[in-house]
């Protein structure tokens, strides 16, 4: 017996011409934030994700096609070590999808979803051969996200169940051994906006964890800021405009909140809006901020970069191209010297795109790297990451039916391809270590547009040849600038349902 379920939601409104609409109807891709039945806890749940654009908004269609399968007595995870190339190790799972990955100085963290959902930690060095150190069992068939501190031993892990009526925040270190240091139940319910790695952030110094959640009952979104060690709530900032993502500066004092078509810098101790600006489209977007908070990027129908000039933020880079979407995979270096984006043609079903890198100080383009392909599957960009000085930037995409370009591409500042990960299916996530030595990717075993389950985490090591980068110019601390009140976005109502605390696997 099989069943299908479909969920969709409108993220923004924008007038789309009839000619463009015909090309858009098949796309604007995001991740597999699928509606997954929590009743089938020992069943493989094949899923696929397609994003559509209508004149009223961006609607992700996430479908489930499940068949009852034998109950597994153990996790179906296996380790594969390839001696050739620069792949250090990869971990395959027959059922779970590696929806989110994060890397710190010593470990790779992975958020596995669908059947066998869990948070896993894999050491990089020592016995780092892809052997799991420990794991924490999360909501089966739910959604989750991970964010690691780059310079400290601290991780933020966010999860939600399949019905979207149980959201929880956890904090771990490498020594947690599968038991959260603390947990926080979010008082929200929204089946259309599940947990994900874009919705949780951990500051570089490990002092702060921030997350955004939405509530279909109140039709508000809230930014929560936690003391990463104790779990104490430092701030809850609520706004009627939907929050899609969050990023933190190094010390956690400022959060960059991605809202529908708006970027907002928020003081995490007071909730004061430091600066806000309209973007160029909403939906598959994730804004990023530099370590000191002086530079941030926004993406949508255009790619824009803002820098602090001593008084306020001004736009220093504005770039666009007809029929291209710049919002799904934007990167910024910690020092703010370098930014990048993987743009893709939504009219052509995401079958051609270009990676662009820019120098922030001069506002000039460093170079571009075009890709093109064919087939029936969307090659949508879905993530990006950078090392501290911008000498290594990685971009992830769903890839094409015929794998016309690597699902994860890694570039130096000269926009030369210096590394890659070729997944059998679609990449769903990517991260880069602070020193640029390691890149990790998470994937689904088949293409995102196909029904299927299973996934892989793969870690590659790059050559240690240094690439010169400019030294960023110090700028003063930002000051508060008033911001207008946004308009509320209606959402559907879900009924909360309690769920027992997840059990730790042996």
């Amino acid at each position: 017996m099989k069943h299908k379920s479909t969920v969709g939601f409108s993220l923004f409104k924008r007038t789309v011409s009839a000619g463009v609409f015909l090309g858009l109807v098949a796309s604007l891709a995001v991740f597999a934030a699928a509606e997954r039945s929590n009743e089938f806890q020992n069943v493989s749940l094949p899923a696929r994700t397609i994003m559509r654009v209508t004149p009223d908004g961006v609607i992700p269609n996430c479908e489930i096609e499940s068949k009852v399968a034998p109950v597994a007595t153990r996790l179906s995870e296996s380790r594969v070590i390839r001696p050739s190339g620069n792949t250090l190790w990869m971990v395959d799972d027959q059922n779970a999808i590696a929806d989110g990955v994060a890397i710190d100085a010593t470990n790779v963290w992975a958020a596995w979803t669908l059947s066998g959902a869990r948070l896993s930690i894999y050491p990089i060095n020592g016995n780092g051969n892809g052997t799991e150190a420990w794991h924490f069992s999360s909501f089966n068939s739910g959604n989750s996200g991970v964010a690691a501190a780059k310079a400290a031993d601290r991780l933020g892990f966010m999860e939600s169940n399949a019905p979207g009526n149980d959201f929880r925040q956890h904090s771990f270190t490498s020594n947690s051994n599968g038991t959260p240091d603390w947990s926080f139940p979010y008082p929200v319910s929204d089946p259309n906006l599940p947990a994900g790695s874009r919705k949780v952030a951990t500051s570089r110094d490990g002092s702060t964890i921030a997350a955004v959640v939405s509530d279909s009952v109140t039709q508000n979104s809230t930014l929560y800021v936690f003391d990463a060690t104790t779990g104490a709530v430092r701030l809850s900032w609520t706004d009627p405009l939907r929050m899609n993502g969050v990023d933190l500066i190094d010390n956690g004092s400022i959060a960059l909140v991605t809202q529908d078509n708006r970027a907002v810098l928020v003081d995490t101790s007071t909730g004061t809006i430091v600066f806000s600006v309209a973007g160029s489209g909403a939906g598959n977007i994730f804004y990023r901020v530099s370590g000191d908070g002086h530079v941030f990027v926004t993406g949508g129908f255009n790619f824009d970069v803002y820098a602090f000039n001593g008084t306020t933020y001004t736009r220093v880079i504005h770039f666009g191209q007809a029929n291209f979407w710049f919002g799904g995979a934007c990167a910024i270096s910690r020092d703010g010297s370098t930014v990048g984006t993987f743009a893709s043609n939504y009219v052509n079903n995401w079958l051609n795109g270009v990676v662009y890198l820019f120098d922030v100080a001069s506002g000039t383009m460093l170079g571009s790297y075009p890709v093109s392909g064919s087939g029936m599957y969307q090659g949508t960009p879905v993530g990006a990451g950078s090392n501290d000085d911008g000498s290594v930037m990685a971009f992830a995409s769903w890839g094409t039916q015929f794998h016309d370009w690597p699902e994860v591409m890694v570039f130096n500042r000269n926009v030369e391809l210096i590394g890659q990960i070729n997944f059998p299916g679609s990449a769903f996530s990517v991260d880069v270590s602070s020193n640029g030595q390691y890149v990790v990717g998470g994937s689904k075993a088949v293409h995102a547009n196909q029904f299927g389950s299973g996934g892989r985490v793969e870690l590659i090591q790059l050559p240690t040849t240094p690439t010169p980068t400019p030294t960023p110019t110090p700028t003063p601390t930002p000051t508060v600038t008033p911001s207008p009140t946004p308009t509320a976005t209606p959402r559907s109502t879900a009924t909360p349902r309690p769920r027992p605390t997840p059990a730790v696997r042996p």
Side-chain angles (χ1 to χ4, degrees), residues 322-342:
N323 302 327
F324 273 67
W325 183 257
F326 296 83
C330 297
I332 186 171
S333 61
R334 179 197 174 212
D335 64 9
S337 66
T338 313
V339 295
T341 182
F342 186 1

Side-chain angles (χ1 to χ4, degrees), residues 62 70 83 160 188 279 294 368 488:
C62 306
S160 61
V188 300
H294 293 151
S368 62

Side-chain angles (χ1 to χ4, degrees), residues 75-80 90-94 112 118 130 455 457:
L75 291 176
S76 56
E77 180 181 289
S78 63
R79 291 182 292 112
V80 181
M90 54 186 175
V91 177
D92 288 320
D93 191 291
Q94 295 177 8
W112 298 90
R118 65 199 182 277
V457 173

Side-chain angles (χ1 to χ4, degrees), residues 166-181:
D166 194 346
F167 286 73
R168 302 180 187 185
Q169 180 66 53
H170 308 287
S171 179
F172 297 88
T173 68
S174 60
N175 299 315
S176 298
N177 198 29
T179 302
D181 292 359

Side-chain angles (χ1 to χ4, degrees), residues 100-104 107-111 120 122 124 145-150 155-156 197 429-432 440-441 457:
V101 293
I103 188 169
D104 59 27
N107 298 293
V108 168
W109 303 81
S120 295
Y122 307 95
I124 296 173
V146 290
K150 295 293 187 180
L155 179 96
S197 293
S429 52
V430 68
D431 199 12
V432 181
V440 62
V457 173

Side-chain angles (χ1 to χ4, degrees), residues 30-226:
V30 274
F31 349 77
E35 179 189 25
R36 298 158 184 150
S37 172
N38 201 40
E39 305 301 325
F40 296 85
Q41 296 202 1
N42 290 307
V43 176
S44 177
L45 296 174
R48 72 174 179 181
T49 308
I50 298 174
M51 182 68 95
R52 303 180 187 275
V53 178
T54 73
D56 291 329
V58 178
I59 304 175
N61 287 340
C62 306
E63 298 180 346
I64 302 298
E65 183 177 50
S66 64
K67 294 181 180 180
V68 176
V71 175
T73 57
R74 294 285 298 170
L75 291 176
S76 56
E77 180 181 289
S78 63
R79 291 182 292 112
V80 181
I81 304 174
R82 292 195 308 203
S84 61
N86 58 356
T87 296
L88 294 184
W89 50 258
M90 54 186 175
V91 177
D92 288 320
D93 191 291
Q94 295 177 8
N95 298 318
I97 295 173
D99 196 62
V101 293
I103 188 169
D104 59 27
T106 57
N107 298 293
V108 168
W109 303 81
W112 298 90
T113 61
L114 288 182
S115 182
R118 65 199 182 277
L119 166 69
S120 295
I121 176 174
Y122 307 95
I124 296 173
N125 301 313
N127 294 325
N129 58 2
T131 301
E132 182 186 76
W134 52 260
H135 65 261
F136 166 77
S137 297
S138 57
F139 290 122
N140 239 5
S141 303
N143 295 273
S144 58
V146 290
K150 295 293 187 180
D153 186 10
R154 179 61 62 183
L155 179 96
F157 179 69
M158 179 187 189
E159 63 171 338
S160 61
N161 65 353
N165 54 30
D166 194 346
F167 286 73
R168 302 180 187 185
Q169 180 66 53
H170 308 287
S171 179
F172 297 88
T173 68
S174 60
N175 299 315
S176 298
N177 198 29
T179 302
D181 292 359
W182 55 264
S183 298
F184 177 83
Y186 291 107
V188 300
S189 176
D190 197 328
N192 291 329
L193 294 170
S197 293
R198 296 185 177 190
K199 295 186 175 183
V200 60
T202 304
S203 62
R204 179 183 177 87
D205 63 4
S207 66
T208 307
I209 292 175
V212 294
V213 292
S214 297
D215 188 7
S216 58
V217 177
T218 64
Q219 298 187 3
N220 290 324
S221 290
T222 301
L223 165 69
Y224 282 89
V225 180
F226 303 92

Side-chain angles (χ1 to χ4, degrees), residues 198-409:
R198 296 185 177 190
K199 295 186 175 183
V200 60
T202 304
S203 62
R204 179 183 177 87
D205 63 4
S207 66
T208 307
I209 292 175
V212 294
V213 292
S214 297
D215 188 7
S216 58
V217 177
T218 64
Q219 298 187 3
N220 290 324
S221 290
T222 301
L223 165 69
Y224 282 89
V225 180
F226 303 92
D227 182 295
T229 303
T230 67
V233 178
R234 292 179 180 168
L235 174 74
S236 61
W237 176 71
T238 300
D239 192 87
L241 192 62
R242 192 193 317 266
M243 300 179 189
N244 306 305
V246 63
D247 199 10
L248 287 169
I249 70 171
D250 282 355
N251 63 9
S253 63
I254 293 178
L256 174 60
V257 180
T258 302
Q259 293 188 273
D260 283 355
N261 201 28
R262 188 174 79 147
V264 184
L265 289 169
V266 180
D267 186 311
T268 59
S269 62
T270 65
T272 302
I273 295 178
V274 176
F275 182 80
S276 69
V277 66
S280 58
N284 179 21
I285 55 174
F286 181 35
Y287 304 151
R288 309 299 297 271
V289 65
S290 64
D292 60 6
H294 293 151
V295 181
F296 69 91
V297 301
T298 70
F301 290 99
N302 300 309
F303 180 67
D304 294 297
V305 182
Y306 294 83
F308 191 67
N309 63 7
T311 303
T312 187
Y313 288 87
T314 60
R315 191 170 68 182
V316 295
I317 294 173
H318 174 67
F319 184 77
Q321 187 173 352
N323 302 327
F324 273 67
W325 183 257
F326 296 83
C330 297
I332 186 171
S333 61
R334 179 197 174 212
D335 64 9
S337 66
T338 313
V339 295
T341 182
F342 186 1
S344 188
N345 188 328
Y346 51 80
V347 172
N348 191 33
N349 203 34
W350 311 90
L351 291 176
N352 61 288
V354 186
V355 172
Y356 298 99
L357 299 188
F358 296 84
D359 176 74
V360 175
S362 64
T364 59
M365 184 187 297
L366 295 170
S368 62
Y369 189 94
V371 294
S372 62
S374 60
M376 61 187 295
Y377 300 146
Q378 301 167 334
T380 313
V382 293
S386 174
N387 71 334
D388 286 354
D389 63 8
S391 60
V392 176
M393 285 194 169
F395 299 88
S397 73
W398 282 352
T400 65
Q401 181 177 0
F402 304 111
H403 302 277
D404 298 290
W405 63 80
E407 284 71 31
V408 173
M409 298 185 292

